[in-house]
Amino acid sequence: MQKTILKSAAVVALTLAAAPAFAVGYEPLTSSGSTVLLSCAGTESNPNPTRNECRVFGNLPTGRFAGTLAGRQGLWRLVRSNVGQPLIANGTRIGTLDDRVWQRNNSNEYVFGMRVSVENRLWTPPSGVCTDTTPAYFEINDMFRNGFAAITGLDIAYRQGTAEEGAWLVGRTAQGLNQYAGSPDGLSPARNNDLVDFRTDVNFEDPDGTSVFNSSYMMVAATLPNGVSDNPSTGAVRIYQGGEEGQCLFSVTASGYTPR
């Protein structure tokens, strides 16, 4: 009998060792203090050793019926959707934005989710703003969404598909890559609680050789007493090229849903 128990324990141990490391899941963002950014995947030069930090797996309801939502408890339904919104950089469509909002069981719990996809199209950086005006692929280094100034408790996660770039760093700030002291690895840009920034790296043809065309769904969970805007708000989303390989620092704005 003892041999049987030991054998069973060994089988369990081997099974656990072979099992994939599942997501830590949603993580809270700070709204005060000097450390602003949360290390999810980390950075290319300083990756987070904790596997799948901030990452969730599972379903994202897209129809009118309620279902499970990746990383959250209960049943959720899609209540707002604006997909395929063009992203325009100096007159050129460089990709699209999908923006969705889910609500739990008719409660005041909501999750905002946004995702970008870039296209095989060169844009020309504008003279007077950018030193180098050579046509190039737009690189997305940060994805910002605003409207959270009055909300103190925010949880974030990213839901990554099979070929989508995750979230490196996440925090409540308006400063992206190369816009603050200590970037790219530093965790303390200027705090701005109105915004949530997701650091990523999406480029159709990335100079660093790791081209990823789509971002993950970048998710913000919040309790909202007054719900969500009926229509997308102009400029609620900002897509930022931060010059990781020396490109011009440039932002593209888009519409997005916000808390009421």
Side-chain angles (χ1 to χ4, degrees):
M1 184 173 181
Q2 185 177 8
K3 289 183 178 180
T4 302
I5 293 173
L6 290 174
K7 183 177 180 181
S8 298
V11 170
V12 170
L14 288 172
T15 301
L16 290 174
F22 290 103
V24 173
Y26 278 82
E27 292 285 340
L29 292 183
T30 62
S31 56
S32 63
S34 58
T35 302
V36 175
L37 297 178
L38 174 67
S39 180
C40 291
T43 66
E44 285 184 322
S45 59
N46 187 23
N48 190 345
T50 304
R51 180 179 170 88
N52 291 328
E53 189 80 12
C54 313
R55 186 178 177 185
V56 293
F57 297 82
N59 185 51
L60 297 177
T62 57
R64 60 190 181 92
F65 297 107
T68 58
L69 184 73
R72 308 303 279 179
Q73 297 293 318
L75 292 177
W76 296 74
R77 62 189 180 90
L78 183 68
V79 292
R80 303 285 188 274
S81 183
N82 182 22
V83 299
Q85 180 181 172
L87 297 173
I88 307 298
N90 195 30
T92 299
R93 171 173 158 154
I94 52 92
T96 58
L97 169 74
D98 291 344
D99 190 32
R100 290 184 162 111
V101 184
W102 296 271
Q103 181 184 18
R104 179 181 176 181
N105 297 332
N106 296 315
S107 70
N108 58 5
E109 294 181 47
Y110 294 86
V111 170
F112 297 81
M114 63 175 175
R115 176 180 63 180
V116 292
S117 299
V118 292
E119 299 171 354
N120 185 9
R121 193 173 287 116
L122 302 176
W123 78 295
T124 302
S127 60
V129 176
C130 303
T131 303
D132 186 356
T133 59
T134 305
Y137 289 101
F138 194 94
E139 177 163 294
I140 297 173
N141 297 117
D142 291 85
M143 299 166 58
F144 300 87
R145 72 178 312 145
N146 66 33
F148 298 100
I151 313 300
T152 55
L154 295 180
D155 295 330
I156 62 86
Y158 68 96
R159 192 266 202 177
Q160 187 176 21
T162 56
E164 297 170 340
E165 184 71 17
W168 292 0
L169 306 173
V170 186
R172 303 182 74 162
T173 181
Q175 293 184 321
L177 181 68
N178 292 324
Q179 289 190 307
Y180 60 95
S183 175
D185 294 337
L187 302 180
S188 297
R191 181 177 294 281
N192 186 330
N193 284 341
D194 187 46
L195 295 101
V196 176
D197 171 32
F198 292 86
R199 181 75 49 79
T200 189
D201 186 9
V202 177
N203 193 329
F204 191 87
E205 190 173 296
D206 200 318
D208 69 10
T210 57
S211 302
V212 182
F213 310 160
N214 307 307
S215 77
S216 295
Y217 257 103
M218 306 302 190
M219 320 280 281
V220 181
T223 299
L224 305 177
N226 300 314
V228 179
S229 61
D230 292 328
N231 299 300
S233 300
T234 302
V237 172
R238 179 163 65 93
I239 305 302
Y240 169 69
Q241 176 175 269
E244 186 181 5
E245 291 85 28
Q247 303 99 325
C248 174
L249 276 57
F250 195 85
S251 290
V252 173
T253 59
S255 297
Y257 295 103
T258 59
R260 280 201 182 107

